Amino acid sequence: MTQNGVLKHAQPQPSTTATEMQARANDRENSLFAGIDLSAAANAPEDPIGNEDLEASSRQETLSPVLSLVDRILIEALTSGVSDIHVEPQDNGLVIRFRQDGVLRLVETLPKTLIPAVTSRLKIMADLDIAERRLPQDGRIRRAFRGHTMDFRVSTLPSRHGEKVVLRLLDGGATQLGLDTLITDPVALASLREIGGKPFGMILVTGPTGSGKSTTLYALLAERNDPAINISTVEDPIEYTLKGITQTQVNRDKGYDFSSALRAFMRQDPDVLLVGETRDLETARTAIEAALTGHLVLTTLHCNDAVGAFARLDEMGVESFMVSASLLGVVSQRLVRRLCPDCQLEHHPSAEELARFGLVASHETKITFYRACIVAPGREGACPNCMGRGYSGRVGVYEILTMTEAFSSAVAKRTSTQELRRMAIEGGMKTLLGYGLDLVRQGLTSLEEVERMLLTDSGLESERRARALSTLTCKGCGAGLQDEWLECPYCLRVRM
């Protein structure tokens, strides 16, 4: 800020001392770190990595405070079912955040003096170079927890106040979900099972990081897993262990990447191949060649929706005629938070609120909408099932595009993305927004969650067009309508 034209620097805020943080931790009954001597943890020497079991290790009486602190962070994350742990050095201390159901939440802020000890301990557990603080590093921590082997994928990043550490939790022994559990829409489920049962071709699963692509791929593999079929996967990293399937992990330091693994697979008499991610031209071409030579290839791609996959492949340099000849279908997906069944509240949205989603209030009178009951942490009335968050778990949203002869021909001719989207909708593809609104009608999620994850201008336009194409006669005046008309030109009634 300025005063009389002179720049005034912000006064530095006093950092929280270890003694103050210790008092806060001991006073709060629900504190994650209550009872740990934080002052001693900041100055404690590093101990060697002890018992492989996290809970047994944390109960050791001789365990130093810093080891107990790190073990408790990991145990709390595993107990809460979070997907990521963020250990972030900031100006006011070491911030611990958990990502649960796709949303980050603050867990605790530790004293600034703990930054070197905690980050060094995590780097030692991940077998990283603790002396290297100027470059990012990647590693892995493996521990036993309540009968399961848990992997933590570790990434460090130099920042202004120290090294930030992010851990992704991977349960190698987790029970796999079937397609019928993942996909609630029977038509979408039947479409995916149909293309997944083909003997050869390529299936693309698209979506942003953390949208559940790997889970869908594993569910597809589980349905094809049979002693009569040779299935091989190349992943980075191997997230789940599947019996009866050959799984390999890329090792870029040794020159073993997705494309080289694919070439090796072709000499292993394969039937079904899974490629963890298609991120470059060489991998894409190798996967397509495998699909064209009698193999079923499953892979992922980063793009916004199913139709956007064709523009993404074109951007990579893949020839459109090869894509049209090999592709069976494209699956785009997201994850939205599931309403807590114990505390969800009935919601009566206004006509304006429904209009934002392309819905007409008069058409939704028989639908009961629900919203989340969110209670601040520590307040009375918080639901014990969701801890006041209003949501518990997540549910998948799917957009499944099945290749037809006409659509393949349009792809080979490099038809525009807008025209391809129109053809897909006319062919019966349900959009991501349409699927999400169906979940709202079923009481599984809320309009607010659909808006947060799915509502875009292009998505809304696509969904409106999909609804318009479902009616060829105006419900107001009975006049015949053409496909491209979104409203009746005679009575101006919106076509829904």
Side-chain angles (χ1 to χ4, degrees):
M1 298 178 62
T2 60
Q3 183 175 359
N4 298 327
V6 179
L7 180 66
K8 295 182 65 179
H9 296 283
Q11 296 298 319
Q13 299 295 322
S15 59
T16 306
T17 65
T19 304
E20 292 170 344
M21 289 300 303
Q22 182 66 53
R24 279 182 54 195
N26 288 331
D27 288 342
R28 293 171 52 187
E29 294 181 359
N30 60 344
S31 173
L32 178 59
F33 311 111
I36 296 179
D37 188 347
L38 299 180
S39 301
N43 303 313
E46 279 293 341
D47 290 349
I49 297 176
N51 199 310
E52 288 288 325
D53 186 273
L54 272 175
E55 290 185 312
S57 174
S58 65
R59 289 193 293 266
Q60 292 181 15
E61 295 182 358
T62 58
L63 199 65
S64 71
V66 67
L67 269 68
S68 179
L69 175 65
V70 172
D71 283 353
R72 194 173 294 187
I73 293 173
L74 301 183
I75 291 172
E76 178 67 18
L78 291 169
T79 304
S80 302
V82 307
S83 61
D84 300 88
I85 306 170
H86 289 240
V87 182
E88 305 171 278
Q90 299 292 339
D91 186 49
N92 63 331
L94 184 62
V95 176
I96 309 296
R97 294 195 293 170
F98 289 169
R99 184 178 295 279
Q100 188 165 10
D101 295 337
V103 178
L104 279 171
R105 62 179 175 89
L106 178 65
V107 176
E108 191 69 82
T109 301
L110 298 174
K112 195 172 182 178
T113 52
L114 285 175
I115 293 175
V118 172
T119 55
S120 294
R121 174 58 184 171
L122 289 170
K123 290 171 71 174
I124 288 175
M125 295 174 72
D127 197 23
L128 300 178
D129 183 1
I130 62 172
E132 181 55 75
R133 299 185 178 92
R134 298 166 297 176
L135 296 173
Q137 298 186 69
D138 295 314
R140 177 184 289 262
I141 298 173
R142 172 165 290 183
R143 288 292 183 273
F145 180 73
R146 297 179 182 175
H148 288 271
T149 299
M150 304 300 303
D151 286 330
F152 300 84
R153 190 172 63 193
V154 182
S155 172
T156 68
L157 180 72
S159 69
R160 180 179 180 182
H161 300 289
E163 288 183 282
K164 176 178 178 179
V165 185
V166 176
L167 299 90
R168 166 64 61 88
L169 279 65
L170 305 171
D171 185 358
T175 302
Q176 295 304 300
L177 299 176
L179 286 177
D180 52 351
T181 305
L182 296 175
I183 304 178
T184 58
D185 184 82
V187 177
L189 176 62
S191 297
L192 185 55
R193 277 182 165 155
E194 181 182 356
I195 60 176
K198 300 289 186 182
F200 59 87
M202 184 167 69
I203 300 174
L204 287 175
V205 180
T206 71
T209 302
S211 60
K213 299 187 298 295
S214 296
T215 303
T216 300
L217 287 174
Y218 281 119
L220 276 169
L221 283 185
E223 296 215 343
R224 295 300 303 269
N225 194 6
D226 186 272
I229 296 177
N230 179 21
I231 302 177
S232 300
T233 75
V234 53
E235 305 166 60
D236 183 25
I238 297 174
E239 297 189 21
Y240 305 104
T241 301
L242 300 177
K243 294 182 180 180
I245 292 177
T246 302
Q247 297 176 266
T248 182
Q249 182 169 318
V250 299
N251 187 347
R252 293 184 178 84
D253 294 338
K254 302 297 182 181
Y256 184 60
D257 54 14
F258 287 113
S259 58
S260 59
L262 264 176
R263 290 193 294 271
F265 284 165
M266 298 305 292
R267 298 187 290 271
Q268 293 278 317
D269 185 29
D271 294 303
V272 179
L273 304 174
L274 183 149
V275 183
E277 184 179 352
T278 299
R279 61 177 68 179
D280 55 57
L281 176 59
E282 185 179 6
T283 303
R285 280 181 172 167
T286 308
I288 289 175
E289 289 170 0
L292 291 173
T293 53
H295 308 91
L296 181 64
V297 180
L298 313 177
T299 186
T300 68
L301 193 68
H302 287 284
C303 58
N304 292 329
D305 56 14
V307 177
F310 302 101
R312 181 74 181 94
L313 291 171
D314 184 67
E315 180 186 345
M316 286 184 182
V318 181
E319 293 81 358
S320 56
F321 68 89
M322 294 184 66
V323 175
S324 65
S326 61
L327 199 59
L328 295 172
V330 185
V331 180
S332 182
Q333 67 179 86
R334 300 289 190 276
L335 291 175
V336 296
R337 290 180 293 174
R338 186 190 295 266
L339 284 169
C340 176
D342 294 346
C343 65
Q344 62 183 11
L345 301 174
E346 284 194 20
H347 176 49
H348 302 284
S350 64
E352 291 77 11
E353 184 178 356
L354 290 174
R356 289 209 314 271
F357 300 88
L359 301 177
V360 178
S362 60
H363 295 173
E364 307 293 339
T365 54
K366 297 181 180 180
I367 304 298
T368 302
F369 294 90
Y370 294 92
R371 63 178 177 86
C373 178
I374 300 175
V375 180
R379 297 283 184 89
E380 293 185 3
C383 172
N385 182 43
C386 65
M387 305 304 292
R389 291 188 297 272
Y391 297 92
S392 179
R394 290 189 287 180
V395 60
V397 180
Y398 293 87
E399 181 178 271
I400 300 177
L401 169 60
T402 302
M403 298 292 287
T404 62
E405 185 176 348
F407 198 90
S408 296
S409 177
V411 170
K413 296 175 182 177
R414 302 186 68 180
T415 305
S416 68
T417 300
Q418 184 176 0
E419 180 64 17
L420 289 176
R421 183 174 290 111
R422 185 191 66 80
M423 292 180 63
I425 292 173
E426 288 181 355
M429 182 188 75
K430 179 175 289 187
T431 64
L432 286 170
L433 180 58
Y435 196 112
L437 292 175
D438 283 347
L439 295 178
V440 172
R441 295 185 181 98
Q442 296 168 29
L444 295 176
T445 191
S446 63
L447 287 172
E448 292 81 6
E449 184 67 4
V450 168
E451 181 176 12
R452 184 180 74 91
M453 294 297 300
L454 304 173
L455 188 60
T456 62
D457 291 340
S458 61
L460 182 57
E461 181 182 353
S462 298
E463 178 57 20
R464 281 175 172 165
R465 181 168 293 278
R467 285 203 207 95
L469 292 174
S470 65
T471 57
L472 295 177
T473 303
C474 177
K475 295 182 179 179
C477 64
L481 303 176
Q482 296 183 16
D483 287 349
E484 62 271 17
W485 294 350
L486 297 182
E487 61 181 21
C488 176
Y490 308 106
C491 68
L492 301 182
R493 181 187 177 95
V494 177
R495 185 178 173 190
M496 299 298 291

